Amino acid sequence: MTILVTGAAGFIGSNFVLDWLSASNEPVVSLDALTYAGNAGNLASLKADQRHSFVHGSIGDAALVGRLLRQGQVRAVINFAAESHVDRSITGPAPFFETNVMGTLHLLEAVRGYLAELDEAARIAFRFLHVSTDEVYGTLGPDDPAFTETNPYLPNSPYAASKASSDHLVRSYRETFGLNTLVTNCSNNYGPYQFPEKLIPLVIHNALIGKALPIYGDGQQVRDWLYVGDHCAAIRLVLERAAPGATYNVGGNNQMANLEVVRTICALLDARRPRPDGKSYADQIAFVTDRPGHDRRYAIDASTIERDLGWRPAVAFGEGLARTVEWYLDHADWVADVTSGAYRDWIARHYG
Ligand code: NAD
Ligand code: TYD
């Protein structure tokens, strides 16, 4: 049997594939469209690995996906493929709906066609795991309880709206076509291979090249940070043990204001790679115009996955952030590679 991982050359997808093959011999087919956020080099260490194959293509190409499912006798799809950056969804929403909604629809259709050819036992054993976000629930006030799986969907950004739509599509395939789906709604991830447009890697990168560290608004927006390896472990557990149709919230139980996150990164860099002038990287912090529709606070109640599957985060934020800073310091080549012309265009357009 084989699993098909979509969006496998992105941040979480590549961490998932690397973790999977370090713990299991079950082959993986990686599918990725290699958008600006995808980097086949993330999987370079698997080049000679017989258990892994990489396919350059889109989840929107149902014929291609159908071929991959049949050739690999795939028993599960883990769908990471998406446009994932909120700020880009504000600048240009359309690709978010093309990929996250229409792409997911074509992927589901390819799976439906494939399953129709399988016997009942294989159909029952098949899983479609859709990786989603806590942003579908909207924003919390300072004293609101954390998001549970029964919170209403109230997306505020085009990104969140597109992910919410895809979650609804997946649900409809479960209810209408009997597809054995699983959905995870996870909080903000950080760790190796994250594209330096998201807060944590952007701040590490900008600090090291002497640029401003942009803080939107007052920097008091709260996110619930989770180390990417813990997210991958949760997905694996959900895939293996969750009842078909289940939805799980996944979070770090680690709420922090953005300004505090940025100051912690600066302190780590001050210790690990001091500035030549002896000043702190925190001197580079710059408050900039707030993001439109900026969600004030996210927090995940992960008690359901903890109770049902025994999952909880293993990596504390301090340790995970130190590991992440170390990884970026050790992978200057990777950063140079991904911060190419297209990246510079985005930074210039967005930050001016
Ligand atoms: P990412 O932007 O780093 O990676 C997305 C990957 O999908 C890229 O490799 C890209 O090339 C690929 N892709 C885009 N369009 C595609 C298409 N049509 N066909 C195939 N591949 C395509 O994103 P990420 O941070 O790794 O997020 C992965 C998933 O997890 C997304 O669905 C995202 O919504 C979800 N998620 C992310 C976070 C987070 O904090 N990063 C938190 C919760 C959920
Ligand atoms: P981000 O990493 O884009 O994730 P998300 O918007 O999905 O939560 O942003 C995390 C938080 O950091 C969010 O509140 C926006 C804020 N932020 C900044 O203050 N400055 C920046 O340059 C970026 C990219 C984000």
Side-chain angles (χ1 to χ4, degrees), residues 85-87 135 188 197-199 202 214-216 221 223 258 291 294 298 351:
H85 188 34
V86 172
D87 292 321
E135 303 193 25
N188 287 64
E197 64 184 354
K198 306 281 169 66
L199 180 70
L202 179 98
I215 307 278
Y216 297 161
Q221 303 82 7
R223 297 293 183 264
N258 294 337
R291 171 189 282 174
H294 197 170
Y298 302 140
Y351 296 98

Side-chain angles (χ1 to χ4, degrees), residues 10-129:
F11 163 47
I12 309 175
S14 57
N15 275 283
F16 180 82
V17 170
L18 293 169
D19 285 3
W20 180 275
L21 289 173
S22 71
S24 156
N25 274 326
E26 184 174 6
V28 177
V29 176
S30 287
L31 174 67
D32 199 291
L34 297 179
T35 67
Y36 79 91
N39 183 359
N42 295 0
L43 301 170
S45 62
L46 301 174
K47 212 162 193 163
D49 194 322
Q50 299 294 319
R51 301 167 302 168
H52 182 250
S53 54
F54 179 79
V55 179
H56 180 193
S58 171
I59 56 167
D61 184 345
L64 169 66
V65 174
R67 273 200 307 281
L68 297 177
L69 292 168
R70 290 177 185 94
Q71 277 163 11
Q73 295 181 303
V74 168
R75 65 137 180 134
V77 172
I78 298 98
N79 183 29
F80 293 96
E83 290 293 334
S84 69
H85 188 34
V86 172
D87 292 321
R88 287 185 190 254
S89 82
I90 296 167
T91 307
F96 286 73
F97 292 86
E98 280 150 19
T99 296
N100 302 358
V101 183
M102 293 311 292
T104 301
L105 174 67
H106 293 306
L107 180 64
L108 285 162
E109 275 298 277
V111 166
R112 191 159 77 93
Y114 167 63
L115 290 183
E117 298 162 9
L118 299 187
D119 62 32
E120 199 188 348
R123 234 184 349 260
I124 290 171
F126 189 88
R127 296 288 180 273
F128 184 95
L129 194 159

Side-chain angles (χ1 to χ4, degrees), residues 3-346:
I3 60 165
L4 173 65
V5 178
T6 72
F11 163 47
I12 309 175
S14 57
N15 275 283
F16 180 82
V17 170
L18 293 169
D19 285 3
W20 180 275
L21 289 173
S22 71
S24 156
N25 274 326
E26 184 174 6
V28 177
V29 176
S30 287
L31 174 67
D32 199 291
L34 297 179
T35 67
Y36 79 91
N39 183 359
N42 295 0
L43 301 170
S45 62
L46 301 174
K47 212 162 193 163
D49 194 322
Q50 299 294 319
R51 301 167 302 168
H52 182 250
S53 54
F54 179 79
V55 179
H56 180 193
S58 171
I59 56 167
D61 184 345
L64 169 66
V65 174
R67 273 200 307 281
L68 297 177
L69 292 168
R70 290 177 185 94
Q71 277 163 11
Q73 295 181 303
V74 168
R75 65 137 180 134
V77 172
I78 298 98
N79 183 29
F80 293 96
E83 290 293 334
S84 69
H85 188 34
V86 172
D87 292 321
R88 287 185 190 254
S89 82
I90 296 167
T91 307
F96 286 73
F97 292 86
E98 280 150 19
T99 296
N100 302 358
V101 183
M102 293 311 292
T104 301
L105 174 67
H106 293 306
L107 180 64
L108 285 162
E109 275 298 277
V111 166
R112 191 159 77 93
Y114 167 63
L115 290 183
E117 298 162 9
L118 299 187
D119 62 32
E120 199 188 348
R123 234 184 349 260
I124 290 171
F126 189 88
R127 296 288 180 273
F128 184 95
L129 194 159
H130 182 63
V131 180
S132 192
T133 166
D134 59 356
E135 303 193 25
V136 298
Y137 299 124
T139 188
L140 292 170
D143 301 320
D144 288 339
F147 299 128
T148 68
E149 288 82 358
T150 56
N151 266 70
Y153 273 34
L154 294 167
N156 290 321
S157 69
Y159 163 66
S162 68
K163 291 296 291 186
S165 310
S166 66
D167 293 9
H168 291 323
L169 258 179
V170 171
R171 178 192 162 87
S172 76
Y173 271 64
R174 180 185 90 216
E175 295 298 320
T176 305
F177 301 117
L179 179 61
N180 282 333
T181 60
L182 299 162
V183 177
T184 54
N185 292 91
C186 188
S187 61
N188 287 64
N189 285 214
Y190 67 99
Y193 299 110
Q194 188 168 30
F195 194 73
E197 64 184 354
K198 306 281 169 66
L199 180 70
I200 288 178
L202 179 98
V203 163
I204 298 170
H205 176 58
N206 279 14
L208 294 172
I209 60 171
K211 284 183 67 173
L213 312 181
I215 307 278
Y216 297 161
D218 63 2
Q220 293 309 309
Q221 303 82 7
V222 170
R223 297 293 183 264
D224 179 355
W225 294 97
L226 179 70
Y227 189 68
V228 64
D230 279 332
H231 186 189
C232 294
I235 291 170
R236 195 184 178 103
L237 213 53
V238 168
L239 181 64
E240 297 313 340
R241 300 227 206 109
T247 287
Y248 284 109
N249 279 359
V250 181
N253 201 14
N254 177 66
Q255 297 175 54
M256 275 177 92
N258 294 337
L259 189 55
E260 197 186 344
V261 170
V262 173
R263 287 194 187 285
T264 311
I265 295 169
C266 291
L268 285 165
L269 285 171
D270 287 340
R272 184 62 186 70
R273 177 76 56 88
R275 265 175 43 161
D277 63 5
K279 291 185 177 162
S280 171
Y281 287 100
D283 287 2
Q284 290 167 229
I285 288 174
F287 290 87
V288 301
T289 309
D290 207 354
R291 171 189 282 174
H294 197 170
D295 286 335
R296 196 69 184 166
R297 174 174 165 243
Y298 302 140
I300 281 279
D301 176 344
S303 56
T304 313
I305 188 170
E306 182 172 343
R307 192 189 56 235
D308 286 4
L309 306 180
W311 176 89
R312 68 178 62 119
V315 181
F317 186 68
E319 183 196 337
L321 197 61
R323 265 192 223 174
T324 304
V325 165
E326 203 62 36
W327 189 88
Y328 280 89
L329 287 171
D330 289 346
H331 290 79
D333 289 356
W334 183 89
V335 175
D337 217 38
V338 302
T339 52
S340 62
Y343 174 82
R344 282 195 294 273
D345 290 348
W346 162 252

